[in-house]
Every structure is written in C-alpha cells, then in structure tokens.
Amino acid sequence: MARRTNPLRTLVVFFLGIAVMYGLVALAGSWSPALGLDLEGGTRIRLAATGDGVTTESLDEARGIIDARVNGSGVTEAEVTTEGNKYVVVEVPGDSSQSKLVDVVKRQAQLRFRLVAQYGAGTAQPTAAPTATGSGEPTPSTTPGGGVLLPSETPAASSSSTAKPSPTASPTKKATGKNRAPFVLPDDSQSADPTGTATATDGSSSTGSPTGTASPTATPTDAAAESKDPVDKALAWQQNPDEKSLAAYNAFACGTDTRSQSVNPNTGEAVEGDNPNWPLLSCDDQGQKFLLSVAVVEGTDLSDASAGVPQNQLSWVVNLEFNGHGTEAFAKVSNALVGTEDLFAIVLDGNVLSSPRMDGRINNGRAQISGSFNQESAQALATSLRYGSLPIAFEKDVSVETIGPSLAGNQLSAGIYAGLIGLMAVMIYCLIYYRGLGLVVLASLIVAASITYGVVLLLGAAANFTLTLPGIAGLIVAVGITADSFIVYFERIRDEMRDGKSMRVAVEAGWARARNTCLAADAVSLLAAVVLYIFAAGVVRGFAFALGVSTLIDLVVFFWFTHPMVSWLSRFRFFNQGHKLSGLDAEALGIDKINLGTPATAGGRA
Amino acid sequence: MGKFSRLGNELYSGKRSVNFVGRKWLWYAMSGVIVLLAVGGLYFKGLDMGIEFVGGAQYKVTVADSAPKVNQTDADKIREAVAASGIAGTESPVVNTAGERSIIVQVQTLTTAQSEDIRNVLAQTMDVDPTNGVSEEQIGASWGKDVAKRSATGLVVFLVLVVLFIWAYFREWKMSVAAIVALAHDVIITIGVYALSGFEVTPATVTGLLTILGFSLYDTVVVFDKVRENTKNLRAVRMTYPEAANLAVNQTLVRSINTSIVALIPVGAILYVGAVQLGAGSLKDLALALFVGMAAGTYSSIFIATPLLAHMKQGETANKQLEKRLAAKRRHQADDRYANVPVFADDLPVRDESDDLEDDDELAEDVVPPATTTPAKPVPTGRGRVVPQASRPVTPSTAAGRAQPTRQSRSKRGKK
C-alpha cells in the first residue's frame, strides 16, 4: 500500500489544486454565484399559441417539450408552465438579454425532408399554364402529358388506399398523434376528382419519364406496393408534379410574410402553413421559391441532433441521426436521387434551410444540415430538434419581461444567516468534543466550504448552475454529511487507541477502516446523484447535481486534506503524547492510560 | 465530557451496552405506531399539493402608468397581505414582480367567491381597481405527470441499484432488505409529518425527501459496515449474531449521536429561523422535512435496520447452531467457572487473534498487545469422550484406516 507518502506533500498538492480552481474562477470572472429564480428572479417569456388544434393536451405537450429544451442541457432550473388555454410561460433565471433562448424555446422545430420538384426566382409568374415552367428548372420531367391514367392504376386502387390509411401508414401513425396538425389523406381527393387521381399515381408507373432512375430502389414488378409507399409516391411526384401544384407554384411569390404555403391537392388551393401530407410551396433565405413534394422524412424520425464542426471544415453544421424508419426512408430517397440533378430540401418550420443535391448514397441514417450557421445558431437548432417538435405554433411576437424573485428578500439572508449559525454551532461542538482534533474538523469544513463555493462559481459559468434556496439548504445539509466522515474517522482512531495502539499507529489503522466505510456510504450517495441526474428533470436534476458535487467534495477533502492533516499532526508530541487538549488523552478516550508508542525494548523497562 | 468519554469507552469494550437488538419488539412497536400515525394522517388529511403540482390561479396586478414602478418591497407587501388574508389555499403564495408595472401572484385554485376576496385584497394593497387592475388566469402545473413519472422511474432504478450495491458490498441480501425497510420507515414518517402539519408540498419538499433518502441509506451503510466487521468471525469472538450486531450498534453509538448532532444543528437553525422569524416561506417546510427525516434516518439505522437484520440472520441454520452451542457452553461455564482454565501450553497465544486488521505498519511492532488468556482450543465439554489433542498435524488420508500423524524427514525438520 502506497500510503507512506509524505502527508505534507499531499497537503501542498491539495492546496495547489484549490489555487488552480480559484484561478479558473478568476478567469471566469464572477465572484458571486448565479442565483436561481426564487432568489434573484429572471426572465419570463410568454408564448401565445396560434392556429387551430390548440387543446389543453397539445399545450401541455408543448410545455413538456419546451421544458426539455430549456432544462435539457445543464442545470438551469427553469420553470415552464401553461397559462390559461393558450399560453406557455417560461421562466429562466438570469438577465433578459437571452434572445437566443427565446429562439430555442419558440421554434416549432418541425423538420421535414421534401423533394424539390421545381424551383426558381421567388416571384409570381402570371402565365399560370402548367407547361410554363420557371427559368432555371433542372427537372425536365414536367411533361404536361404526364397526367394520363394508366389502366392498371384504376380508381379502385386509390379508393382502396382511401379506405384504410395504410399507404401513408408510417408517417400517419406519427402524424395523427397530438404532435401534428390535422391530417388529411391526399388520396381522399384522388378518387373523388379524376384529375387529382392522376397526380400522384400516374407518376409512379410512368416509366416513360425522362429520368428513368426515379425509383430505382422500388421493385418495378410490385406496382401496388410501390404506389403505397409514400416515399416512392413522392419520388414519382417529383418527376411529374400535378398541375394544380404547378399552378399554385407559379402563382406563389416569396414575400416577407408568406414564407410557405401548403397546396391542397383536392382543390389546388394554397393555404398558409406546413402540412406534411400536402405539397409545399416555400422559400429559402436567398429568395428562391420551391415546389416541394410531401414530406418524405419527418423530424419525428430523428433519434438525435447535435451541433458541430466537421473535420477539415470551418463552418458549423447540425448533425442529424435518424431512427430505423427515418434511416430507411432517407436511404431510399438518397438511392433514388444520387447521380441525378434532382434536389431535395430540408424544410424547417416551412422555410427551406438548404436544398442540396444528393452526392452519395446515405444508408446509415446520418445527415448534416449545413448553411449559414454560427456556433450559437447551430447549437440552438440542434437543441430545438433534439427534444422533438412542438405540436403547436406560437405567435411571432413573444412577451419577454424581467421578473423579480419569488421569495422575499429576507429569505436568502435568513437562510444564509441560519446556515452560518448552524455551522458555527457545529464547529463549537466539534471543538469541545474533539478538542485538538476539532481544529482539524474546523479546517476541513472551511476547506470543504471554500471548494464548494469555488465549484458553484465554476459551474455557474460552465453549466449555468444556479443556486436556489433549496439548493443552499442542501449545501448546508451536505456540510453535516461531510462532517460525518471526520466523525467516523476520529471515532475509529479513538477505538484503535482504546485497543492499546499508540496514536501514530491508530491514525493509520483507523484510516484503513474509516476509508472503506466512507467509500461505501458515499458510493450510495453518488449512485443516487447519477441515477437521478440521468432520469429526472428540473428541480430534481439540479438537486442530483448538487448532491453529486458535494459528495465528491466530501471525498476529496477527506482523502487529500483530513487524512494527511491528521497523519502530519500525529508527528507532534502534542498529539501523540496525549496532551490534555489534544482530544486523544486518556481521559478523552475514557481509558486509564494510553499507549505512548515508546518502543518496547527486549528487556522491558527498567 | 469525561463521563461521556468514559461511556464511549465502555460502549466500545462492551462493558456497558444498550440492548438495541434484544428489545426489537419494543422498537418495532414504537415505529409501527408512528408509521401508522403517518399513514393515517396521509389517508385522512392527505397532502396539500402545491401550485407546481396541481396548477392554480394567477393574478396579475397592474399599476397605472402614473404610479411609481413596482419593486420588491411591493411584492413582499402583497405576499404578506395575501398570506394574512385567511383564504384557504393562499397561505404560501408565490409573488414576484413582472416588468416594471405589474406583480404576479400565484395561489392554489380558488372558488369564485374566494377569487373575489383575493382580488379585493390585492386591489387594496396596491391601490388599484379590483376589476381593471387585477387580471386572473388559470395556470397549469410545471410539475406535470410526465415529470413525476420520470422522477419516479429514476427513483425505482436507484432503489434497485442500491439493493444490488448493498448486496454486493456486504455479500448479504438481508442487509439490503433491512436498509430498504429502514428507508421506507423514514420516508413514510416524513411524508406523514407533511400530511399532519398541513405544509404545502413544493418541489423543495421533493428535494428534501430525496436528501433524506440519501442520508438514511448513508447512515445505514455506516452502521452496517461495523456490523459486518463484528460478525465476520463469530466463532472466534464467541458471540451470537444478535450479540455481535448489538455490540456493533453500541460501538457506533457515539458516532451516531455525534453525526446526528452535527447534521441536525444547521437544519435546526434553518428551521428555527424559517419558522419563528420568517413565518411564511419555503424555508421552514424544507427544514422541517430535513429535520424529521434526518432524525428518523439516524434512529432507524439503530433501532430498525440492525434489529431487523439480526432478526433475519437469527433464523439461519448456522447461526441457530452457533447460538445453541454458545448457550450450552455458557451454561457449563456458569456451573463451573474454573473447569475451563487452560493448562499452560507452548502454543498458548499471547493475544487474541481475532483482530483481522493487517498491521503492515512497522510501528505496529512497538505495540504491546494486551495479553488475554484464551485457551488455544476450546475443550469440548459436557458430552462424549474428550478427544486428545494432536501433538502434530495429521494427514487426512485414510490409507491406514484412521488419520496418522505426519512427520517430516529429519533433513527437512526445522526448516520451513
């Protein structure tokens, strides 16, 4: 066992470590801890839901998602509540200059991958004939004669698909959840309206389309299955958009307000909003307009999103990872589009983020969104995407106001006051009971307190850790638990001395036993901290964090301060000869005579 | 102090001991009554769940543009006025300023009449019009079902892991059971105190409960560590399991008392300041939960966990046999104390070897161990023939019909 190290050296290293920590604090630049909502107040963001489909359930679900977004990373202890039947209120500690946060919170984050059928300059074209395709359109497949109904594609086929929602089953199941706007089967209209029927179905079987690679993955023999798969349908539609959509596309203009419109396949009427099951007209940042297919991959198919800078690149991207279904659909799309000039578009909340060409086959379900991101915006988008999209949209203008603390000002001072009194009492008790050793307790507690303060400051800078009143109470309680380690240790030393060991021996022997006891007991606390941090949310998470930190500090102080300190002190005659004030004299131990550790010579004493 | 120290030594040596383990039914009964009271309180009174859990009503007081800006003093004034209004459900309102012109007051869900009252209180306090100056909204829970569910999942996972951890560390699943029972005891009592005192349950309460959870287990592990140490070699120390466990509890008693004093003093100070000096506020609720829970945590480690553990271990066959043997031996010793004084033998140990600690320190050589006169091998007494002591090691081989003494060749004798 390598415990023959010089205790003084351990102490010096330990204090150097503390100095380094405070150096870091000095770099971070704030010397008072960030206080939580209840003590200092913060920012109150009130979002008003818009659109129909706002129910108590959807509002509550939105609340949950927003909660995950603000509390998901770090331990801010923000509060998210619903108010009335249409508001979600987010309260975040700290000052109000967090415009980034408003974005993260408010963004609906409905991410969809769609296929680009047409694109061009974002102005309306008055010649609304379907043949008059816009300038610079690379898709040569928009032949007006595409709308021929093949005999095999009987209305029966489409009516069967109307009867049960299986054709669009995979996205539908997700879509019919509370997470989506009311879903309308596009096929519904196709059986009712012959021209409508031609739109989606004819393309899938029109092998005569110039880009014959349109659906290479789909088995051509199984035409029925092919037409039932929404991705195949969309791929076919990309080659042959229906006339109504084209007409709507031509009439569409990118304005400041109209960013996206969904085209109702029944009527060809363009309505505001992003309906995943309808073709979409949308614009990107450069003012180009797009005619996009129905969504082929949905944001709900994401399993993870993160921001990062790829190797050998400089700009920030958002990395996406799809789940099984998303991977499958995305692979199909990528196989169909690779090698062609066709584009697909990544649409976020109705806006085209980017419209890349497919450069390679992507079968592993990983994709990147690149664009004009900086670190903040990439991270904000990744955070929004990671916790899912909101089932409802919110109004553009949100009310942001500064709120005061919810606890009276005297509570903080009273809490700290009480804590200090308590700590003083603890120290006095230890001094009376342990006398000389009590000084070690005192020093250990002071060291533990200073480390805790430093860690709180550092975490405030690094992880937005804020101190709430319960948090402060927790830290005060943690001091009591920290003191328990010393008590266990000192009682062990005393027990060993009662067994007749000299103080110097007892210090080491007691350490060997107390160490195991404390490790086992602290392991339980650490276990609680880790498990609760992983599973819980909000306040409980903050608590788990504080518990873990204080337990670790307990161990650090116990191993690298208290023990070396005691073994160093045991070299002094004051302690090892059992001075009356050392706390280790015969009277304090309750025995008649302590072993003074004088070597027993072979012949005994004269 | 001297007396307490003397007591500490006597508790350690076992000269004086409190029979914690033996009077288990008394402790069980006491705890049973308290737990029943707690459960009864929970059942009949129920918990007063805070706004964070069940939602409530929110009033927004907006002052006129001409009036001075609102500040923290106004918020404090409103908090006191609302708390003093005597309307049920408004004992601990959440009040904060919002922007420069308004103050938000959150209370539990109120009836229309109560709502009217509170509006008047607010209007009076801030000197605004009750209808135009005060707006009302229903607010939802920030601690919805999903948060509760996730926290509960975390808790269950933690408990399962703790059971496994204790089982793995002590190699004794009965310790896991005893620790969990003690934990349940502490948590139920704390919740019961909440129900009986009528304090509002807030997220702070939840963190308080979790702290107790951690503390209770921590304390139990510390005590059990000593129990394991004492019961590791029961035959050598010639004690039954309950006796050894009882000695362990007595030996850690001083630690337990000190720890509970040190842990409870700060909490007590917070409780005092919170309840006496401040009145309303979340501080006193939290401190109460912590105080009761930590006291119960120390209590249950000594009075519930260890007796329960000994109770369960007592039933094991090995321990039963040991107990029987020891009882017989003690009976015999009581009959004739001097029959057992050992004759001096060469290999008579000078000291008790039960001390399992490896004294790998060279300083340890200095220690003169207290000589004890324990016989090398206990002579089986009271039954059958007395087996003569073998003077040399015997081989277990049965080649000669019975075990034979072994003797090494002369050249090897003396070397080892």
Side-chain angles (χ1 to χ4, degrees):
Chain A
M1 222 181 278
R3 77 162 111 91
R4 289 277 91 196
T5 47
N6 190 345
L8 271 183
R9 204 168 66 192
T10 316
L11 284 177
V12 168
V13 171
F14 178 75
F15 279 110
L16 275 181
I18 295 184
V20 167
M21 189 182 76
Y22 271 93
L24 286 176
V25 172
L27 280 183
S30 91
W31 289 99
S32 60
L35 294 177
L37 266 178
D38 54 349
L39 295 173
E40 205 182 44
T43 311
R44 183 183 164 97
I45 304 167
R46 185 162 128 147
L47 306 162
T50 61
D52 21 292
V54 178
T55 58
T56 323
E57 287 82 34
S58 63
L59 202 63
D60 212 42
E61 198 188 332
R63 190 205 70 75
I65 294 168
I66 292 176
D67 198 337
R69 284 184 193 170
V70 278
N71 286 321
S73 53
V75 278
T76 322
E77 295 199 19
E79 268 182 31
V80 185
T81 47
T82 58
E83 192 182 302
N85 291 322
K86 99 179 249 217
Y87 299 103
V88 172
V89 176
V90 183
E91 291 180 347
V92 194
D95 58 349
S96 55
S97 64
Q98 293 176 320
S99 55
K100 185 191 95 185
L101 185 77
V102 176
D103 272 354
V104 171
V105 166
K106 198 186 74 175
R107 180 180 286 138
Q108 200 175 0
Q110 282 182 341
L111 183 77
R112 295 190 176 117
F113 286 70
R114 292 171 181 262
L115 303 173
V116 179
Q118 304 267 311
Y119 70 93
T123 49
Q125 285 142 354
T127 49
T131 42
T133 48
S135 56
E137 287 149 357
T139 45
S141 59
T142 49
T143 43
V148 178
L149 196 67
L150 285 177
S152 64
E153 289 295 325
T154 52
S158 47
S159 70
S160 74
S161 63
T162 321
K164 52 182 168 66
S166 57
T168 41
S170 32
T172 313
K173 269 185 189 136
K174 289 179 166 54
T176 44
K178 286 170 276 181
N179 212 1
R180 287 280 165 271
F183 168 65
V184 182
L185 273 179
D187 308 61
D188 214 354
S189 61
Q190 292 171 4
S191 55
D193 177 19
T195 28
T197 321
T199 56
T201 45
D202 67 343
S204 63
S205 52
S206 74
T207 46
S209 114
T211 47
T213 53
S215 50
T217 49
T219 44
T221 47
D222 193 0
E226 189 181 297
S227 68
K228 274 179 185 170
D229 190 77
V231 178
D232 287 335
K233 255 189 207 173
L235 283 168
W237 183 90
Q238 182 184 17
Q239 306 307 325
N240 268 321
D242 62 303
E243 290 169 26
K244 283 183 178 171
S245 303
L246 281 173
Y249 167 73
N250 286 329
F252 180 70
C254 286
T256 42
D257 291 337
T258 51
R259 299 290 293 171
S260 65
Q261 287 181 333
S262 296
V263 181
N264 186 336
N266 311 352
T267 57
E269 185 189 354
V271 288
E272 199 71 21
D274 181 4
N275 185 333
N277 302 301
W278 289 357
L280 183 78
L281 300 166
S282 182
C283 305
D284 67 2
D285 289 343
Q286 279 79 43
Q288 279 194 319
K289 66 174 180 176
F290 292 83
L291 173 60
L292 305 168
S293 72
V294 298
V296 286
V297 183
E298 292 267 4
T300 44
D301 293 334
L302 285 179
S303 65
D304 195 18
S306 60
V309 182
Q311 280 190 326
N312 307 326
Q313 284 184 40
L314 291 173
S315 55
W316 281 81
V317 298
V318 176
N319 298 307
L320 304 176
E321 211 170 297
F322 293 106
N323 63 12
H325 177 259
T327 307
E328 205 177 293
F330 195 67
K332 196 179 257 182
V333 171
S334 95
N335 281 324
L337 294 191
V338 73
T340 68
E341 290 293 302
D342 295 341
L343 307 178
F344 71 102
I346 301 166
V347 186
L348 180 73
D349 296 341
N351 292 335
V352 175
L353 274 185
S354 64
S355 50
R357 186 170 294 137
M358 196 64 79
D359 287 333
R361 289 169 205 273
I362 301 175
N363 294 325
N364 60 0
R366 286 166 192 276
Q368 277 178 356
I369 312 176
S370 52
S372 50
F373 287 122
N374 55 19
Q375 180 179 358
E376 268 194 5
S377 60
Q379 279 169 351
L381 177 59
T383 310
S384 297
L385 289 176
R386 192 176 314 139
Y387 298 103
S389 59
L390 297 177
I392 42 180
F394 291 102
E395 272 171 22
K396 272 210 184 73
D397 43 336
V398 292
S399 84
V400 178
E401 53 189 10
T402 311
I403 52 169
S406 59
L407 285 175
N410 54 358
Q411 293 259 337
L412 174 62
S413 52
I416 291 176
Y417 189 59
L420 283 181
I421 294 178
L423 283 185
M424 291 296 276
V426 166
M427 289 176 177
I428 291 170
Y429 177 81
C430 287
L431 271 185
I432 292 176
Y433 188 74
Y434 288 114
R435 314 229 180 130
L437 281 184
L439 284 176
V440 181
V441 177
L442 213 89
S444 300
L445 284 183
I446 290 171
V447 166
S450 68
I451 295 183
T452 308
Y453 192 72
V455 167
V456 166
L457 289 180
L458 272 186
L459 288 175
N464 292 332
F465 183 71
T466 54
L467 268 185
T468 56
L469 192 65
I472 291 176
L475 287 178
I476 292 171
V477 170
V479 166
I481 295 176
T482 308
D484 180 61
S485 316
F486 315 145
I487 293 172
V488 169
Y489 182 29
F490 294 161
E491 287 302 325
R492 279 290 189 181
I493 294 178
R494 290 171 158 222
D495 288 353
E496 298 292 334
M497 290 182 74
R498 283 169 182 151
D499 274 347
K501 289 184 176 135
S502 74
M503 193 234 171
R504 287 213 261 176
V505 183
V507 162
E508 298 306 327
W511 167 248
R513 289 178 163 173
R515 185 188 53 196
N516 292 342
T517 307
C518 284
L519 277 179
D522 279 343
V524 173
S525 294
L526 276 183
L527 195 68
V530 171
V531 172
L532 286 178
Y533 186 80
I534 292 174
F535 281 94
V539 187
V540 174
R541 201 169 172 158
F543 163 79
F545 195 76
L547 179 68
V549 167
S550 58
T551 308
L552 282 179
I553 290 174
D554 173 21
L555 284 177
V556 163
V557 171
F558 189 49
F559 271 74
W560 291 312
F561 182 77
T562 311
H563 171 231
M565 193 76 181
V566 174
S567 24
W568 181 57
L569 288 179
S570 71
R571 296 177 177 184
F572 291 92
R573 289 183 63 82
F574 177 79
F575 285 98
N576 65 31
Q577 297 302 307
H579 189 278
K580 233 179 157 23
L581 291 178
S582 69
L584 291 171
D585 55 322
E587 196 204 332
L589 296 182
I591 53 179
D592 297 326
K593 187 174 162 299
I594 63 163
N595 189 325
L596 294 181
T598 35
T601 43
R605 283 181 214 124
Chain B
M1 200 47 57
K3 255 187 198 160
F4 192 57
S5 315
R6 188 60 68 169
L7 176 71
N9 183 44
E10 286 174 359
L11 285 174
Y12 178 70
S13 60
K15 210 180 284 175
R16 191 194 297 192
S17 74
V18 185
N19 194 359
F20 291 112
V21 174
R23 281 186 223 136
K24 53 180 179 270
W25 291 111
L26 178 63
W27 317 131
Y28 291 171
M30 270 171 60
S31 290
V33 169
I34 298 175
V35 167
L36 268 183
L37 271 179
V39 172
L42 199 61
Y43 184 77
F44 290 112
K45 274 192 84 174
L47 287 173
D48 186 12
M49 300 303 269
I51 311 162
E52 291 86 349
F53 297 99
V54 291
Q58 169 176 302
Y59 298 88
K60 188 167 186 175
V61 187
T62 312
V63 296
D65 287 344
S66 53
K69 291 174 182 175
V70 293
N71 54 27
Q72 196 55 38
T73 327
D74 294 326
D76 292 353
K77 208 165 70 187
I78 285 193
R79 184 178 302 114
E80 276 159 33
V82 171
S85 66
I87 302 166
T90 63
E91 291 84 2
S92 47
V94 177
V95 181
N96 49 15
T97 59
E100 292 171 342
R101 298 260 160 247
S102 49
I103 290 180
I104 292 172
V105 183
Q106 295 175 340
V107 292
Q108 295 182 1
T109 311
L110 301 176
T111 62
T112 322
Q114 286 171 328
S115 174
E116 204 57 46
D117 290 347
I118 206 90
R119 271 167 177 266
N120 287 330
V121 170
L122 292 174
Q124 265 174 21
T125 319
M126 285 311 289
D127 198 20
V128 293
D129 184 62
T131 40
N132 297 330
V134 184
S135 67
E136 183 185 348
E137 285 269 12
Q138 289 300 313
I139 49 169
S142 61
W143 268 64
K145 288 215 170 65
D146 51 332
V147 181
K149 208 170 139 192
R150 282 182 61 187
S151 304
T153 321
L155 208 60
V156 169
V157 171
F158 166 65
L159 289 179
V160 170
L161 285 179
V162 154
V163 166
L164 291 179
F165 173 80
I166 295 180
W167 178 60
Y169 182 74
F170 293 117
R171 304 288 157 80
E172 178 61 73
W173 64 267
K174 284 173 182 165
M175 286 193 172
S176 305
V177 174
I180 292 294
V181 169
L183 176 70
H185 167 263
D186 304 340
V187 170
I188 289 174
I189 287 181
T190 315
I191 296 178
V193 166
Y194 259 89
L196 289 172
S197 68
F199 281 163
E200 197 180 285
V201 176
T202 59
T205 315
V206 177
T207 60
L209 264 183
L210 291 173
T211 312
I212 291 158
L213 205 97
F215 184 80
S216 169
L217 285 168
Y218 173 94
D219 201 69
T220 309
V221 167
V222 170
V223 174
F224 276 4
D225 203 46
K226 188 76 190 171
V227 170
R228 180 188 55 166
E229 190 188 313
N230 281 8
T231 57
K232 211 187 261 171
N233 203 352
L234 283 176
R235 303 186 68 154
V237 293
R238 266 179 259 148
M239 277 193 220
T240 63
Y241 196 95
E243 283 166 359
N246 197 44
L247 179 65
V249 178
N250 277 292
Q251 286 178 340
T252 50
L253 189 61
V254 174
R255 186 227 58 121
S256 297
I257 292 171
N258 278 347
T259 299
S260 45
I261 288 175
V262 165
L264 287 180
I265 285 176
V267 181
I270 299 177
L271 181 62
Y272 174 78
V273 171
V276 177
Q277 298 195 338
L278 290 177
S282 62
L283 206 53
K284 76 166 182 216
D285 310 4
L286 183 63
L288 180 79
L290 287 174
F291 195 86
V292 172
M294 290 173 95
T298 336
Y299 167 85
S300 71
S301 304
I302 297 173
F303 292 86
I304 300 296
T306 318
L308 187 65
L309 172 69
H311 196 161
M312 286 191 288
K313 289 289 284 183
Q314 223 175 353
E316 285 179 11
T317 327
N319 285 327
K320 264 186 182 161
Q321 284 174 347
L322 180 73
E323 208 163 315
K324 222 187 241 170
R325 253 196 327 265
L326 282 173
K329 180 175 290 165
R330 282 173 192 165
R331 212 180 311 123
H332 179 78
Q333 279 185 331
D335 290 346
D336 185 2
R337 296 181 58 186
Y338 298 102
N340 246 352
V341 175
V343 184
F344 178 78
D346 280 338
D347 60 343
L348 197 66
V350 237
R351 60 178 292 198
D352 198 353
E353 293 298 337
S354 65
D355 195 2
D356 60 308
L357 182 75
E358 71 292 23
D359 280 331
D360 52 342
D361 203 301
E362 77 270 20
L363 286 167
E365 253 78 73
D366 312 342
V367 183
V368 184
T372 48
T373 52
T374 34
K377 271 182 195 140
V379 185
T381 46
R383 73 185 81 136
R385 86 190 163 99
V386 174
V387 181
Q389 214 163 33
S391 60
R392 268 173 282 152
V394 288
T395 49
S397 156
T398 54
R402 65 184 172 92
Q404 295 293 320
T406 55
R407 186 159 212 206
Q408 291 200 298
S409 59
R410 178 171 288 233
S411 62
K412 291 205 177 122
R413 254 180 260 151
K415 285 188 208 164
K416 263 261 160 91

